[in-house]
Amino acid sequence: MDSNALKAFLTIVDQGSFSEAAEILHLTQPAISKRLAALENQLGTSLIDRSHRQIRLTDAGNRLLPHARKILDEIHNARVALSPDSGQVEGELQIIASHHIGLHHLPNWLRRFKRQYPQVSINLQFMESDAAYEQMRKRNAELAFVTLSDSMEPSFKVFAQWPDPMEFVAGVEHPLARLNKPVLSDLADHPALLPDTSTATYRVVSRLFLEANLHLNPQMPTNYLETLKMMTSVGLGWSVLPMRMVDESLRVLEINRPVSRVLGGIGLAGRQLSNASKALLEIVQEEEGP
């Protein structure tokens, strides 16, 4: 099978559009349609149902999808293995970072990385962790730095990880800030400013309240921790935020219920890392290690 035709097939599926796939691959729409048609002719079956406005895979297309990804992964691995100078750190490095990691961790890493490896061009995207996992499935980056999920698929591999301890906090003028030893039942009387229900942080806090048979009153969910910090600091409710975000605008609520999450760098299992990725991971492990 022609790798370019497989790439066209995967890009159409991932983008959900012939025109967008053509733009990404720098082809005309007729050219990308021709590549898909050639693949279908070679396999003797239709891969994409063209009778609907939205892209839909046929049964054969669904069966081909994981094999196509593995084939292109192996081609990628072969190129890495056959690199003329295996010790050289250069080229383009595509990475994804969550907004929190991008603000509070990434600057130190990249400052060192650019100083040590000026020949590497970094292509950086910021997005929520859930979206980052999806982009990694589509091979749109080599590494993603995200909140690690306890339900992570086996297709992902963790290359670096570190704990991110969190604190219950309120604004300095919030009624909770005046309590010497607040407990969960005190928090239940006030609005909670938390990320949405799909996040690890929300699940941990929700479980604490459930186990204590208390009502959790979430308000205005957002996954942007800086926004949660701002809303908390002006007294709109209490929150749970990483310790490194706590400043004079917040009061730590000394509740004896430790909350933490795990941050880390992930790649795809079975897909070899470039030298640039390995070099960045080495810096990350040095910066975030014990």
Side-chain angles (χ1 to χ4, degrees), residues 36-197:
L36 177 64
L39 181 61
E40 290 176 323
N41 289 336
Q42 184 181 18
L43 297 175
T45 184
S46 176
L47 300 172
I48 291 178
D49 184 351
R50 296 165 175 79
S51 64
H52 299 86
R53 294 186 65 180
Q54 291 185 329
I55 296 296
R56 293 187 182 180
L57 288 172
T58 63
D59 289 342
N62 275 311
R63 292 196 299 272
L64 175 64
L65 191 61
H67 298 288
R69 294 204 193 278
K70 287 180 182 178
I71 290 168
L72 292 186
D73 283 348
E74 285 303 319
I75 292 174
H76 164 84
N77 292 344
R79 286 176 178 151
V80 171
L82 295 174
S83 177
D85 186 350
S86 59
Q88 194 73 13
V89 180
E90 58 184 12
E92 183 179 15
L93 175 57
Q94 294 181 315
I95 59 176
I96 296 171
S98 70
H99 297 281
H100 174 73
I101 292 176
L103 283 172
H104 298 279
H105 297 266
L106 197 64
N108 288 339
W109 309 343
L110 294 188
R111 195 174 294 113
R112 283 185 56 185
F113 186 84
K114 291 302 293 181
R115 185 167 59 244
Q116 295 177 36
Y117 308 106
Q119 300 304 314
V120 177
S121 172
I122 296 176
N123 184 334
L124 177 60
Q125 303 175 69
F126 294 100
M127 63 188 69
E128 295 176 11
S129 293
D130 286 346
Y133 282 106
E134 182 59 27
Q135 291 302 308
M136 290 295 291
R137 290 186 194 98
K138 296 177 180 179
R139 278 61 174 172
N140 287 339
E142 196 169 357
L143 291 172
F145 296 95
V146 294
T147 302
L148 299 184
S149 169
D150 50 8
S151 58
M152 188 184 305
E153 299 171 11
S155 58
F156 293 110
K157 182 175 180 180
V158 178
F159 290 103
Q161 63 179 343
W162 61 95
D164 190 34
M166 308 182 82
E167 298 279 9
F168 287 90
V169 294
V172 293
E173 297 182 1
H174 193 279
L176 288 170
R178 295 193 290 270
L179 300 180
N180 288 330
K181 293 184 178 181
V183 294
L184 281 182
S185 58
D186 294 319
L187 272 61
D189 296 331
H190 299 273
L193 302 171
L194 298 169
D196 68 45
T197 56

Side-chain angles (χ1 to χ4, degrees), residues 168 176 181-190 205 207-216 238 255-257 259:
F168 287 90
L176 288 170
K181 293 184 178 181
V183 294
L184 281 182
S185 58
D186 294 319
L187 272 61
D189 296 331
H190 299 273
V205 176
R207 191 178 303 118
L208 288 176
F209 274 72
L210 186 63
E211 290 171 351
N213 197 28
L214 292 171
H215 175 66
L216 182 62
W238 59 268
I255 293 173
N256 190 25
R257 297 296 184 98
V259 176

